[in-house]
Amino acid sequence: MTDNNTAFHVVNLGCKVNRVESDDFAAALIASGGCEVPIEAADFIVVNTCTVTGEAEKKTRKAVRQSLRANDFARVIVTGCAAAIDPITYTEMDPRVEVVPKNAMGELLGATRGESPTLAAIRAGEDFPTRAGVKVQDGCNNACTYCIVHVARGRATSRPSEEIVAEVRELARAGVREIVLTGINLGSYREDDLRLADLLRLLMRAVDEEFPVDAGLGVVPRVRFRVSSIEPRDVSDDLIELMAASNGRICRHLHLPLQSGSSKVLREMRRPYDAQRFLTLVDKLYAAMPMLSLSTDIIVGFPGETEEDFQETCRVAEVCHFSKMHIFRYSKRAGTPAAERDDQVSPEVKADRAKRLEAIEERLRAEDLARRAGMRELALVESEGNATTESYHAIPAPADACVGELAECEL
């Protein structure tokens, strides 16, 4: 357990789920009387690690070493995926390092998480982002050949809907206007017959009960929801219909990981779709929501990827009109099948392909923003002068808009 008045610092690496978990750690420490400070002044440092690629693990090791160098007296807690896979690497760095599994962090921090989280421990206010993530699911039953997260996180599990509803109610009461549902494999959410679309209906109903529609907010919702990264096979017709009918209460934006536009490469990655199936889904999404914006993840230089394979990726990206592409150069992760292959792509080729795809990404993003010119969207004011639209574009905030507000903006 931590002491009251703990001076702490949280170092976060990796995915959006890690970000939510790190904010949970900070909220728990603040609720128990702690104070977030610069790393050099902290007497308690939490490093939330990532191990999705070899490069991510290098960054994790570097972050722990930097924490130790920056502060020569703090207790350093290392948690997260990298620590789960290889705890000894971190405990051997320094006697001050402790490796703590994620499921033991609540007890360590003095946190309580239940059906009715206290407002004091909610991730809202000036210490936290205006957009709040809510983790509804953890773990993954897939085994993509480049990934080890399913080993680090374990089998897919879903959080009880009652607990999620309670947290969303508290966030809404605290003034949060955009809530992002997150998970390691978000679309696999299951609670008996309840699926992701059903959960979203429950959450919208819960907000409406707290803040009736006639509360003076007009067409601006009290809270809008955003679906975080979701696997293509988990985008159900029910979810599409719900998003389309929600009139922006569920953002008409999806992050749909492609990884490659080559069906051959997708098969070797052990992804559960081919390029044509992905394109068919994209067509269905745009037909239901013409104003949809689609972002994605793409890996370049996967072992055995040829120039022809890469060109297929470029072609699919063009057809999908992605508004944002997160482009990763393949990085070997020890313990995965892809790392053992003897047809690794050279760093020079990976760098060249990434550069060419980045040029396409920049053009597609500009084209997506241009097609929205003159249209109006609700934007969340993230900081003074900066806002993010429903379609996930960064724009200048209206001069009279307050941080945390949903404001109607013309693009």
Side-chain angles (χ1 to χ4, degrees):
M1 298 282 287
T2 58
D3 298 326
N4 287 342
N5 304 316
T6 297
F8 72 90
H9 187 87
V10 179
V11 179
N12 183 71
L13 300 125
C15 65
K16 290 180 180 179
V17 175
N18 267 24
R19 176 74 270 165
V20 173
E21 292 167 343
S22 292
D23 287 344
D24 270 339
F25 301 155
L29 287 162
I30 290 169
S32 62
C35 177
E36 190 159 15
V37 298
I39 194 167
E40 61 273 11
D43 47 35
F44 189 85
I45 299 170
V46 178
V47 183
N48 194 9
T49 65
C50 178
T51 191
V52 67
T53 64
E55 190 61 32
E57 186 140 306
K58 286 180 188 175
K59 290 179 180 177
T60 286
R61 292 194 295 269
K62 183 178 179 181
V64 176
R65 292 191 187 102
Q66 286 176 334
S67 297
L68 291 165
R69 284 197 299 268
N71 184 315
D72 60 7
F73 59 86
R75 182 182 176 190
V76 179
I77 305 300
V78 179
T79 190
C81 292
I85 292 292
D86 186 15
I88 294 173
T89 289
Y90 302 97
T91 54
E92 288 183 343
M93 284 183 180
D94 192 280
R96 289 186 287 140
V97 173
E98 302 172 48
V99 171
V100 179
K102 281 272 177 72
N103 60 10
M105 285 295 290
E107 182 179 355
L108 175 77
L109 302 177
T112 57
R113 164 77 86 182
E115 293 180 1
S116 300
T118 62
L119 184 58
I122 284 291
R123 294 165 282 105
E126 61 182 18
D127 294 309
F128 300 100
T130 54
R131 175 188 294 111
V134 172
K135 188 173 81 169
V136 306
Q137 182 277 337
D138 204 345
C140 183
N141 295 342
N142 299 326
C144 298
T145 59
Y146 52 82
C147 184
I148 203 167
V149 170
H150 61 286
V151 178
R153 291 270 182 173
R155 301 286 292 175
T157 58
S158 297
R159 192 172 163 202
S161 60
E162 187 176 357
E163 192 176 303
I164 299 166
V165 167
E167 182 177 0
V168 165
R169 284 182 186 272
E170 293 284 9
L171 287 167
R173 289 174 192 149
V176 171
R177 304 298 299 277
E178 180 173 313
I179 293 174
V180 186
L181 300 192
T182 64
I184 296 299
N185 188 7
L186 177 64
S188 70
Y189 183 86
R190 298 286 187 277
E191 185 187 52
D192 298 325
D193 293 331
L194 198 78
R195 300 294 186 261
L196 184 61
D198 304 309
L199 177 63
L200 280 160
R201 289 188 182 94
L202 278 181
L203 297 178
M204 288 191 291
R205 192 179 310 135
V207 171
D208 288 344
E209 289 169 356
E210 288 289 325
F211 302 95
V213 175
D214 63 354
L217 290 167
V219 296
V220 180
R222 177 69 189 194
V223 174
R224 74 178 179 191
F225 294 90
R226 192 179 294 275
V227 175
S228 188
S229 180
I230 184 169
E231 288 294 321
R233 70 175 177 184
D234 295 324
V235 181
S236 66
D237 289 346
D238 190 23
L239 179 62
I240 295 171
E241 291 166 10
L242 180 65
M243 289 179 65
S246 74
N247 197 30
R249 291 192 67 188
I250 303 170
C251 293
R252 285 158 289 199
H253 161 257
L254 281 178
H255 186 82
L256 203 63
L258 170 63
Q259 307 303 6
S260 175
S262 161
S263 293
K264 182 204 84 176
V265 173
L266 289 170
R267 188 165 55 251
E268 293 174 358
M269 288 178 166
R270 209 178 291 155
R271 300 288 289 168
Y273 53 86
D274 60 17
Q276 186 53 55
R277 184 174 171 187
F278 189 95
L279 289 170
T280 299
L281 172 61
V282 168
D283 285 344
K284 182 187 291 187
L285 285 164
Y286 280 133
M289 295 174 280
M291 289 309 299
L292 178 74
S293 99
L294 275 181
S295 53
T296 197
D297 296 328
I298 292 177
I299 297 170
V300 297
F302 183 80
E305 181 189 66
T306 65
E307 177 63 21
E308 182 180 3
D309 294 327
F310 173 69
Q311 288 299 327
E312 279 298 293
T313 295
C314 295
R315 182 188 71 82
V316 171
E318 297 269 9
V319 172
C320 291
H321 306 293
F322 291 122
S323 60
K324 176 68 178 174
M325 293 191 284
H326 298 281
I327 299 162
F328 303 90
R329 302 177 195 186
Y330 171 76
S331 172
K332 290 169 68 174
R333 178 53 179 89
T336 61
E340 303 302 319
R341 291 178 53 161
D342 58 9
D343 53 353
Q344 302 291 325
V345 176
S346 73
E348 295 77 16
V349 170
K350 285 190 279 192
D352 174 67
R353 288 176 184 169
K355 185 176 180 180
R356 283 187 281 159
L357 195 57
E358 284 160 5
I360 293 172
E361 192 273 340
E362 185 175 352
R363 174 171 54 79
L364 290 177
R365 187 160 180 79
E367 289 174 358
D368 186 76
L369 189 56
R371 79 183 176 94
R372 300 174 190 277
M375 297 181 180
R376 302 189 72 80
E377 287 187 24
L378 286 178
L380 179 70
V381 182
E382 306 257 23
S383 60
E384 191 171 343
N386 301 297
T388 303
T389 66
E390 177 187 348
S391 55
Y392 217 53
H393 285 285
I395 63 169
D400 58 347
C402 299
V403 173
E405 180 183 344
L406 276 176
E408 193 172 25
C409 301
E410 183 174 315
L411 280 72

